[in-house]
Amino acid sequence: MEYLTSGFNIVLLIAGFGLLILVHELGHFIAAKWAGIRTEGFAVGMGPIMIAWRKGVGLKASSTVPDVLERTKKAPAALTDEELAAYGIGETEYSLRWLPIGGFVKMLGQDDTDPSYRSDDPRSYNRCPVGKRLIVVSAGVIMNLILAAILFLIAFMIGVRFEAPVIGTVAQGFPAATAVAENAKSQNISAVGLQPGDRVTAIDGDDVVTFADIQIAAAMSKPDTPLRITVDREGVAEPLTFVLTPEKDEAGSGLLTIGVAPAASTQLFADQEDQVVARVLQSNGLSQQGLKPAMRMIEAGGRPIETFQQYQSLVAQSDGAPVATVWIDPKDPQTLIPIETSPVLGQQIFYDGD
């Protein structure tokens, strides 16, 4: 299954890259037509021709050039506009190639393999005014920007998942682990640093909506300049304010950071056709207690929780004792499922080379 997922991701990557190139070349093609440059071919994909179409020739399972040669005794590029009109043949061959990796446009007087190539035809690329050539060259990038804007709108119309600005883990040795809230005394807070489950609401007065906002604010901050971070903590009446100076992550990304990672959800994955989650729950005896895929843990050790790290912290504090949890089914939110979990040591498998 992992190999299938990786293979599918590779296919998506190739398809996305191909679409980017295709739209880029389409921009050149449209601009060339507008500028009056003679376009000899426009291809979707690369490599050998799968099918091709040309006005006056029709759809072929190969290139249309041999048909043009047979009818006119000349190559398409050698025919003048008047001869093309007389024979009723189009100047452009549209083709679909076997390799789905982009496409290309072929303009008269422009050869990527030979930059010194020139044509004396008045409709050639090199005879086109410089202003129009500049538009033709820029059209590919402009089309890519238009595509990006369209995809951006579509993605946000459908909905894009972002990690919530909730702290999951705090790295020791970084500012987030050692900072003390400015209003800690007034709120009777003795814990040092940000804690798992803290929800960051603002940085330097700017609202924080996603966890990426936290990372960007730290990475883009001025060196040795503190950030004022406001967080909501469960059980604390007022927001807590921390003043942190981001530090460079020498062993990791190399960017400025405060040393926090996003929280993991307490919701189980919803099963697809593979039914992996259901099989795991069945093998551990949890499905018999009512636990099902897509359920979410809302309470552990008698406390409401929002992140998996909070549950892990309670397990660590239990010293091996069972931890009572409560689960909810999104399809039936009125029904609560109590389950007692017992921490166990993870198994390590060693390979001795035999």
Side-chain angles (χ1 to χ4, degrees), residues 151-164:
L151 294 178
F152 183 85
L153 290 174
I154 292 174
F156 276 85
M157 288 174 64
I158 295 174
V160 178
R161 288 180 176 269
F162 289 102
E163 291 173 322

Side-chain angles (χ1 to χ4, degrees), residues 13-37:
L13 180 63
I14 294 174
F17 187 66
L19 176 63
L20 191 67
I21 297 175
L22 176 60
V23 171
H24 183 91
E25 295 299 324
L26 180 62
H28 292 315
F29 176 73
I30 294 173
K33 285 289 189 182
W34 167 82
I37 298 172

Side-chain angles (χ1 to χ4, degrees), residues 163-168 196-200 211 214 261-263 306-307:
E163 291 173 322
V166 177
I167 305 300
D198 284 353
R199 177 178 289 270
V200 179
F211 195 85
I214 304 173
E306 293 185 4
T307 72

Side-chain angles (χ1 to χ4, degrees), residues 163-168 176 194 198-203 207-221 227 229-231 244 246 256-263:
E163 291 173 322
V166 177
I167 305 300
L194 294 173
D198 284 353
R199 177 178 289 270
V200 179
T201 58
I203 297 179
D207 291 340
V208 171
V209 180
T210 70
F211 195 85
D213 293 337
I214 304 173
Q215 296 170 311
I216 293 172
M220 300 300 290
S221 64
L227 298 176
I229 299 177
T230 305
V231 306
L244 308 175
L256 292 175
T257 179
I258 61 173
V260 294

